[in-house]
Amino acid sequence: TVDSPDVHFEPVVKLKDVVVKTHEEDEDPIFKMRAKLFRFDTEANEWKERGTGDVKLLKHKETGKVRLLMRRDKTLKVCANHYITTDMVLSPNVGSDRSWVWNVAADLVDDEAERQLLAIRFANSENANKFKDAFEDAREANKKLASGSKDKVIEKKDEEEKKDEEKEEDTKNEPESGDKDKSAESGDKEGEKTDAEKKD
């Protein structure tokens, strides 16, 4: 048998390693559970499936804000993406103890924010209740952050107003340039009088 020579072909095009960002790098997952998501189609007047996958609650490492993110299995396409705001309330889905419904003012999917009515269904009622607890904790945490930022804005405004008032007081207390000249002139006249008195 003849040994076949080692043949090595250099690739025509060299592909560079591409780093794919999920935009989750700056966040910590505080909840993760498998579920099925639906959205209500107002035109068809019916619920339509959005996908099955892991629903996550992600907390930003710097701001502390919590958002809900869900991706479909295999494709990892986003099917829910929104911050948990104070007006979001989970309501039981009719006839089910393992499903919740809530309104979203701006659900950012496919780079477009839309108002949605969403429903999520879990494997059992225990998982559904765990999600509800985590969801409500996140809502309260975001509420505190929002009120804290408002307080900071008010404090900053008060400080600026106080500084403005202090500046106004300083300008009021400062003698006008004319008054300074007059006081200097009177001082000179008094000096002249004393010199004249001395001569007398």
Side-chain angles (χ1 to χ4, degrees):
T1 58
V2 179
D3 292 334
S4 59
D6 291 333
V7 180
H8 176 72
F9 294 100
E10 283 290 332
V12 177
V13 179
K14 289 187 178 181
L15 300 175
K16 294 180 180 179
D17 292 333
V18 178
V19 178
V20 179
K21 288 191 174 184
T22 63
H23 301 291
E24 298 173 40
E25 293 81 10
D26 297 328
E27 297 167 307
D28 291 321
I30 57 176
F31 180 88
K32 180 181 174 182
M33 191 170 283
R34 188 173 172 78
K36 184 175 282 189
L37 189 74
F38 302 84
R39 72 171 182 87
F40 190 75
D41 189 332
T42 52
E43 291 181 2
N45 198 31
E46 64 180 11
W47 288 100
K48 290 190 175 180
E49 187 177 333
R50 260 203 172 180
T52 301
D54 288 330
V55 60
K56 299 177 186 177
L57 298 184
L58 302 170
K59 184 177 181 179
H60 198 277
K61 292 175 183 177
E62 290 182 10
T63 64
K65 286 185 76 174
V66 182
R67 68 170 173 139
L68 181 147
L69 179 71
M70 186 170 175
R71 295 180 184 273
R72 295 188 183 100
D73 284 341
K74 295 177 182 177
T75 62
L76 299 179
K77 189 176 180 182
V78 174
C79 53
N81 177 28
H82 60 80
Y83 283 106
I84 300 175
T85 55
T86 54
D87 58 340
M88 288 182 188
V89 179
L90 294 179
S91 303
N93 203 353
V94 180
S96 176
D97 62 349
R98 59 193 182 101
S99 181
W100 303 106
V101 177
W102 73 101
N103 275 294
V104 183
D107 189 39
L108 189 64
V109 176
D110 298 326
D111 297 326
E112 189 175 343
E114 291 183 327
R115 181 179 288 276
Q116 295 286 358
L117 178 61
L118 300 177
I120 194 165
R121 190 172 70 207
F122 294 90
N124 51 54
S125 59
E126 185 183 352
N127 287 357
N129 287 325
K130 284 179 181 178
F131 171 76
K132 185 175 186 285
D133 291 341
F135 188 97
E136 290 178 347
D137 287 346
R139 185 182 64 203
E140 289 304 309
N142 283 350
K143 186 179 179 180
K144 285 179 183 176
L145 284 171
S147 62
S149 61
K150 282 180 184 176
D151 291 341
K152 284 180 181 177
V153 170
I154 292 168
E155 282 176 13
K156 192 176 181 182
K157 196 174 181 183
D158 289 342
E159 283 178 9
E160 287 174 356
E161 286 177 358
K162 195 175 179 182
K163 284 178 182 177
D164 290 339
E165 286 174 5
E166 287 174 356
K167 282 181 182 177
E168 284 178 10
E169 286 295 324
D170 290 341
T171 52
K172 283 179 184 177
N173 293 332
E174 282 181 7
E176 294 182 5
S177 58
D179 294 337
K180 285 181 182 177
D181 295 339
K182 285 176 184 176
S183 60
E185 284 175 10
S186 61
D188 293 340
K189 285 178 182 178
E190 283 176 8
E192 286 173 7
K193 281 181 182 178
T194 52
D195 291 340
E197 284 170 0
K198 283 177 184 177
K199 286 177 183 177
D200 295 340

